[in-house]
Each structure stands twice: as C-alpha cells, then as structure tokens.
C-alpha cells in the first residue's frame, strides 16, 4: 500500500480515474512496443509451469582469447534453448552489480561472484521475462534466453592493456569477455536470429548501451534487433557538497581498466573519456532502436551520487538517504533538484535528435518510484537486480 507521507514528500499527486486510465493505456502500449513486432503468441505449449533452474556454462574459448574474470577464472552465462516459433528469437540479459574503481575494491570484488566464476551459483532460476511460462511471459516464453554473468567490474568494457596481474593478479578483460560470449552464442544459433533483444539492469544496463550497436552489427542484416537498458541511466550530477562524486568514480574506473577504448570515439575525442561513460553521452550516437527505463528517484543513485558516503559529514542525511520518508522538506528539495535535471534531457530524447537515423523506441521514466517498483517486479519479476 502506498505511503501517504512519502507521496507528499515527493510531490506525488493522487491520480484520478482518468489519469490511471491514461497510464494503463500507456503501460499497455509500452509492453506492446517491448514485443516490437515479436510474434511469439502461438499455440506452443510451455514445458514447465515452475521456475526453471538453468545451469552455468563457462566460456569454452576464454583461455585462448584471454577473456577472464577479475581473478583469472573463466566467465560464464546461463543459456536456455528456445522452442517452437521462438527457436530463432533471442533474449540476452546482462547482469548488473556496480564497478570497482581501485585496486583495493577490485581485489575484494574478485572474491565474490561479481569478480570470479568460482563463487557463482551453478544454477539460477529463470523468471519474469526469462520465464518459460506463457501466462507469466507471453512474449518471450519460448525464446532462446541468455543471462550473461558479470565478473569484470567495468560493464564489459575493460581492456587487457591495463591489467596488473603481474603485481596483483587482477585481469581487466571485460571487452574480451563480451566478444567471447558473443562468439560462442553466435556459434550455437544467435547468428541465425530472426529477432533479438539485448537487455541489462543497472551496470548491466550501462553495458547494454555500450555494446548495443555492436550487438546489432553481429546480427543478420534482416533481423529485428533492439536494446533495453533498465535503471542504467546514471547521472553526472553534483552531490550535496557540490562535488561530482560519480564523475570522479567513473574517472577511476575508466583509467584503471582502460575503458576509453570501448567508448564512443566521437565523444572521447571531444572530452575527458570518463564523461563518456555516462549514458547521456553514449546514447547520442546509438543507431539501434533503444528502450530506456529508469526511476527518477533511484535509491542507488541517491545513496551513491547525490548523497554518497563521505558527503554527509555530520550525519544529517543518514536517515533520509536510506529511506525517503525520513527526509525533511529541505532535503527533498535538494534531491528533487538533482533528479529534475534529468527530466528536460529525457523529454529532448523523446522529441528526437536532428540527424538520428533511428528514433528511441520508448523512454519510460518513472517520476513515481512506486510505479517503477511495480513495473520492475511485474515485468522483470525481480530476476534482474538493481545495484
């Protein structure tokens, strides 16, 4: 049930029946657009009504390609084969999980599933848009589905030239992991795809934006290909002390792992490469049809961009940054100022940019956090994680 106090703090207005009707129509249109001509509603029977446990597959060509997780173990993915009318359609989802921006944070990360396949679950359930249950997932239930595990700490964009394995045994090969995963999937049927959707959440959503056009280029020319980034639109905004904390963080990620080589060259030629890791710059050059889904009030971004650790020296923001209902009017005003900066940019994207050859398919920006949680839980079913 909605919290009235939280709604008033965030200026969330009470919708009338007409508003809900419009929202319902809009949501229906979005889900229909998400299917983007994907005609999977057939008489195919689902072989399981329960969540399917899908095995982890370690990359066969990882060692030959030099594609390793941070600790030198082989990267992996979970693959479930499609069937019936979906046998030549593919849904790929990239796992999220933040980044490491220092040697110390990467050394810690390599002792977790986000830095080593040694700690990854050998089986995970496929649910939500990954489910084989047609009543839960009518558009994609019989597609080939892949969940790509994230273990490089730089959104699949690090380069081996920056590796420090001789000193710390850290491997920075996110770009090679991406290429190796694609090569392996192409060899087992992705190269014959009729329709393909690349998606990702949070840091995985950023990876989706970075590699979207490359994914399109790998597919058959006559295939329908699109990308979806969920909660991956990270802001380049000042924190409460007036510092660009996230920009500094990204600067360290980019220079530690050599990420600039995976970023748009027309951007890195004009500005510091760390700024080019922000989605605002990446999407300016994306040719492939793209879905953007993001909550305006993103808890992670509030806690790490607007009110990051170290910015609240007196502890005045401690309760507010952990739970918005504890924010006072002054704090809410500051948070809204940071979040509102994104609104004109998203509106500009909706109108379109001069010279774009492909429009943005849909921009679903949730100014009401509860609406985003409802969408995320119902459509993504909690399978993808927000960092």
């Amino acid at each position: 049930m909605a919290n009235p106090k939280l709604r008033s703090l965030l200026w969330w207005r009470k919708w009338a029946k007409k508003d809900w009707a419009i929202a319902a129509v809009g949501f229906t249109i979005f889900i229909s657009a998400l299917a983007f001509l994907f005609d999977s509603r057939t008489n195919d029977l689902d072989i399981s009504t329960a969540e399917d446990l899908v095995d982890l597959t370690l990359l066969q060509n990882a060692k030959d390609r030099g594609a390793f997780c941070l600790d030198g173990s082989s990267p992996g993915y979970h693959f479930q084969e499609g069937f019936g009318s979906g046998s030549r359609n593919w849904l790929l989802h990239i796992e999220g999980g933040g980044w490491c921006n220092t040697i110390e944070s990467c050394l810690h990360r390599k002792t977790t599933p986000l830095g080593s396949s040694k700690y990854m679950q050998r089986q995970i359930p496929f649910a939500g848009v990954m489910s084989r249950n047609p009543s839960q997932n009518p558009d994609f239930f019989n597609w080939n589905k892949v969940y790509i595990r994230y273990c490089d700490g730089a959104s699949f964009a690090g380069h081996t030239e920056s590796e420090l394995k001789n000193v710390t045994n850290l491997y920075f090969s996110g770009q090679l992991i991406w290429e190796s995963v694609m090569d392996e999937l192409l060899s087992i049927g992705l190269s014959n795809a009729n329709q393909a959707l690349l998606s990702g959440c949070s840091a995985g959503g950023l990876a989706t934006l970075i590699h979207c056009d490359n994914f399109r280029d790998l597919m058959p020319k006559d295939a329908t290909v699109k990308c979806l980034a969920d909660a991956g639109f990270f802001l380049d905004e000042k924190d409460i002390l007036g510092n660009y904390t996230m920009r500094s963080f990204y600067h360290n990620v980019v220079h530690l792992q050599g990420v600039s080589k995976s970023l748009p060259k027309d951007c890195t030629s004009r500005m510091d490469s760390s700024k080019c890791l922000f989605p605002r710059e990446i999407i300016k050059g994306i040719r492939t049809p793209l879905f953007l889904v993001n909550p305006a009030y993103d808890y992670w971004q509030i806690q790490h961009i607007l009110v990051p650790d170290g910015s609240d020296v007196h502890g005045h923001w401690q309760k507010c940054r952990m739970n918005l209902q504890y924010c006072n009017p002054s704090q809410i005003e500051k948070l809204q100022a940071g979040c509102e900066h994104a609104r004109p940019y998203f509106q500009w994207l909706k109108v379109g940019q001069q010279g774009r050859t492909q429009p943005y398919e849909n921009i679903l920006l949730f100014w009401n956090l509860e609406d985003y949680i409802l969408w995320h839980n119902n459509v993504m079913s909690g399978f993808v994680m927000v960092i």
Side-chain angles (χ1 to χ4, degrees):
M1 181 177 294
N3 186 315
K5 185 176 180 181
L6 181 59
R7 285 187 179 277
S8 64
L9 284 174
L10 295 181
W11 300 353
W12 293 344
R13 63 187 179 88
K14 185 178 181 180
W15 285 5
K17 291 183 178 179
K18 181 179 179 181
D19 295 315
W20 282 110
I22 294 173
V25 172
F27 184 77
T28 301
I29 292 173
F30 173 74
I31 295 301
S32 298
L34 187 59
F36 54 82
L37 305 179
F38 293 163
D39 187 17
S40 294
R41 292 186 177 93
T42 68
N43 293 324
D44 294 321
L45 296 178
D46 180 36
I47 63 173
S48 173
T49 57
E51 290 184 345
D52 296 300
L53 291 176
V54 182
D55 292 332
L56 175 67
T57 299
L58 297 180
L59 280 179
Q60 299 297 314
N61 60 349
K63 186 175 181 179
D64 294 337
R65 294 290 298 271
F68 300 111
C69 296
L70 285 171
D71 71 332
S73 60
S74 295
Y77 59 88
H78 301 261
F79 169 63
Q80 186 178 71
E81 188 174 2
F83 59 94
S85 63
S87 60
R88 292 185 62 186
N89 298 331
W90 289 73
L91 170 59
L92 280 65
H93 186 82
I94 303 176
E95 182 181 24
W99 310 269
C100 58
N101 67 323
T102 64
I103 296 299
E104 292 74 22
S105 62
C106 289
L107 286 173
H108 171 72
R109 189 181 181 96
K110 79 172 191 176
T111 64
T112 74
L114 291 171
S116 172
S117 59
K118 297 176 183 178
Y119 303 98
M120 293 177 184
Q121 290 177 282
R122 263 36 198 176
Q123 289 185 321
I124 61 172
F126 270 18
V129 293
M130 309 291 280
S131 172
R132 301 185 78 174
N133 186 339
S135 63
Q136 183 185 92
N137 185 26
D139 293 305
F140 308 106
F141 73 96
N142 61 354
W143 285 33
N144 297 282
K145 293 181 283 288
V146 183
Y147 185 69
I148 304 173
R149 301 304 295 262
Y150 177 37
C151 67
D152 68 283
S155 289
F156 293 85
H159 285 260
T160 56
E161 293 85 349
S162 299
E163 286 180 351
L164 301 169
K165 54 182 178 292
N166 291 332
V167 179
T168 62
N169 290 320
L170 286 172
Y171 293 78
F172 299 148
S173 53
Q175 180 66 38
L176 286 176
I177 293 175
W178 165 257
E179 294 172 3
S180 299
V181 170
M182 289 301 103
D183 286 348
E184 193 156 310
L185 296 179
L186 288 168
S187 72
I188 62 174
L190 181 60
S191 61
N192 296 316
N194 285 333
Q195 301 171 100
L197 174 65
L198 176 66
S199 68
C201 182
S202 201
L206 180 60
T208 296
L209 297 176
I210 292 172
H211 297 295
C212 181
D213 280 344
N214 175 250
F215 181 69
R216 161 66 271 188
D217 293 341
L218 294 173
M219 298 299 103
K221 294 187 180 299
D222 59 348
T224 301
V225 181
K226 300 191 179 183
C227 302
L228 184 152
D230 175 17
F233 204 95
F234 297 95
L235 302 176
D236 183 18
E237 294 293 336
K238 293 180 180 179
D239 62 26
I240 58 174
L241 293 181
N243 300 318
Y244 284 99
T245 299
M246 197 63 184
R247 185 184 296 179
S248 176
F249 182 91
Y250 270 179
H251 174 87
N252 293 338
V253 173
V254 167
H255 290 279
L256 177 65
Q257 295 212 35
V259 172
S260 59
K261 293 184 179 180
S262 293
L263 300 176
K265 290 181 174 54
D266 63 336
C267 180
T268 56
S269 65
R270 292 183 290 105
M271 62 182 70
D272 184 86
S273 56
S274 59
K275 294 182 182 179
C276 299
L277 189 54
F278 285 98
R280 175 170 181 162
E281 301 300 330
I282 296 174
I283 64 176
K284 289 179 180 179
I286 293 179
R287 309 182 311 273
T288 307
L290 172 67
F291 295 95
L292 296 174
V293 181
N294 223 83
Y297 296 91
D298 185 321
Y299 278 130
W300 190 92
Q301 298 205 50
I302 289 173
Q303 295 172 9
H304 295 83
I305 297 178
L306 301 179
V307 193
D309 290 334
S311 64
D312 182 25
V313 292
H314 300 295
H316 298 317
W317 284 81
Q318 184 58 32
K319 289 185 177 181
C320 172
R321 70 191 293 269
M322 301 305 295
N323 191 328
L324 293 180
Q325 67 177 323
Y326 295 118
C327 299
N328 61 44
S330 175
Q331 291 171 329
I332 287 295
E333 185 177 355
K334 288 184 178 181
L335 292 180
Q336 284 183 324
C339 295
E340 285 287 335
H341 286 170
R343 188 192 291 265
Y345 189 69
F346 275 91
Q347 290 173 338
W348 174 67
L349 291 176
K350 275 181 173 287
V351 174
Q353 305 176 46
Q354 183 178 2
R356 277 191 60 85
T357 57
Q358 294 287 344
Y360 294 100
E361 285 298 311
N362 206 315
I363 298 171
L364 199 60
L365 183 63
F366 293 89
W367 296 103
N368 183 325
L369 184 60
E370 291 177 349
D371 288 343
Y372 171 76
I373 293 172
L374 179 64
W375 180 89
H376 194 276
N377 288 344
N378 286 343
V379 178
M380 307 309 280
S381 192
F383 178 75
V384 292
M385 74 172 185
V386 179
I387 56 176

